[in-house]
Amino acid sequence: GIEDMSALAGRIHIYPNPARDVVYIQSPIAVNVAITGMEGRVIGTIEDARSFSIKSLAVGIYMLRISNQDGMLIETVKIVKQ
């Protein structure tokens, strides 16, 4: 339920933030990531994400929608591209 997702969100670490080239995800389960701009447009998706490049993104603020393999949203995290 919601409490399980909340507890799981506390165990997911996304670093570095701010970042220039690569963002890493440390998670106890496999997660999928959708990268969106601040306007909500999906820029890219990564399945079973452990790290991903943000080199091609413009400098700015982006949102990461972190979900489990079943598509259930775990958390949304703001990252900054330097």
Side-chain angles (χ1 to χ4, degrees), residues 2 5 7 13 18 24 31 37 42 44 48 50-51 54 57-60 63 65 74 76 82:
I2 293 172
M5 290 299 160
H13 303 285
Y24 298 93
V31 295
V42 176
D48 194 12
R50 301 194 193 287
S51 67
I54 59 169
L57 298 179
V59 170
M63 301 302 289
R65 293 180 45 88
I74 298 170
T76 301
Q82 290 185 322

Side-chain angles (χ1 to χ4, degrees), residues 9 60 77:
V77 177

Side-chain angles (χ1 to χ4, degrees), residues 3 5 7 13 18 21 38 55 61-62 65 67 70 80:
E3 292 175 7
M5 290 299 160
H13 303 285
D21 299 323
M38 291 306 291
K55 248 184 202 183
I61 299 172
Y62 297 88
R65 293 180 45 88
S67 59
D70 295 327
V80 177

Side-chain angles (χ1 to χ4, degrees), residues 34-37 39-45:
I35 304 169
T36 65
E39 73 285 351
R41 183 177 57 91
V42 176
I43 296 168
T45 58

Side-chain angles (χ1 to χ4, degrees), residues 3-12 27-29 31 68 74-75:
E3 292 175 7
D4 294 337
M5 290 299 160
S6 180
L8 183 57
R11 296 174 54 202
I12 296 174
S27 172
I29 66 166
V31 295
N68 67 13
I74 298 170
E75 69 176 326

